Amino acid sequence: NENTHAQISIHIHSRLLQILVHYKLGNMLLLPSLIRHTYRFMLKHELSYKIEGYLLQFFQKVLSSVSNKELINLLEDLLQKIRNTSSDVQERRVLDYYFNYEVFLEKELGSIKKIV
């Protein structure tokens, strides 16, 4: 079915957004299990978008990141990967249809840099 991947992507991005919400709320104890379950779900399905993998890798790294400086570096790295990848029309659809992670990352970087 031509819509199968779209249905899977909705599930993947709803899980990624759930991780994002709990990250912003500071629920760090809940994040490892959410990330683990999302990772297992993503392994079962063939992903068409690189952005999905980049986001999950970012959240896995955030769990071990302790300083604001490390967090800024991780956010900047993810933002650069998304910008480079979003030049592809198919990858850009992820940002247009599901959630504009690029805008979120820019705002997150701005707010963390104010703290540092």
Side-chain angles (χ1 to χ4, degrees):
N1 185 337
E2 64 187 45
N3 296 322
T4 301
H5 183 73
Q7 294 167 357
I8 293 169
S9 284
I10 288 171
H11 291 289
I12 289 171
H13 287 279
S14 66
R15 289 169 185 252
L16 289 171
L17 287 173
Q18 184 179 23
I19 293 170
L20 181 71
V21 166
H22 286 288
Y23 162 75
K24 286 299 292 174
L25 290 173
N27 296 334
M28 295 305 184
L29 294 176
L30 185 58
L31 284 180
S33 63
L34 289 174
I35 291 169
R36 188 173 48 252
H37 293 294
T38 302
Y39 179 76
R40 288 179 186 158
F41 182 81
M42 290 170 71
L43 277 178
K44 291 180 183 178
H45 302 285
E46 185 176 325
L47 303 179
S48 293
Y49 303 115
K50 293 177 186 175
I51 290 175
E52 297 165 347
Y54 293 154
L55 289 163
L56 190 60
Q57 290 170 0
F58 164 76
F59 285 117
Q60 289 172 325
K61 290 176 185 175
V62 163
L63 290 177
S64 63
S65 174
V66 289
S67 73
N68 282 340
K69 180 76 172 156
E70 290 172 331
L71 183 58
I72 289 171
N73 289 338
L74 290 172
L75 287 167
E76 288 174 342
D77 182 51
L78 177 61
L79 182 59
Q80 189 60 39
K81 285 180 181 178
I82 288 177
R83 284 182 176 159
N84 291 340
T85 307
S86 67
S87 61
D88 180 354
V89 175
Q90 294 297 327
E91 293 287 337
R92 186 73 206 171
R93 290 176 58 201
V94 172
L95 302 176
D96 294 339
Y97 290 154
Y98 299 113
F99 185 74
N100 197 333
Y101 298 101
E102 190 174 358
V103 171
F104 166 76
L105 291 170
E106 289 170 353
K107 288 182 180 180
E108 188 71 8
L109 270 168
S111 65
I112 292 174
K113 284 181 178 179
K114 286 180 186 177
I115 295 171
V116 176

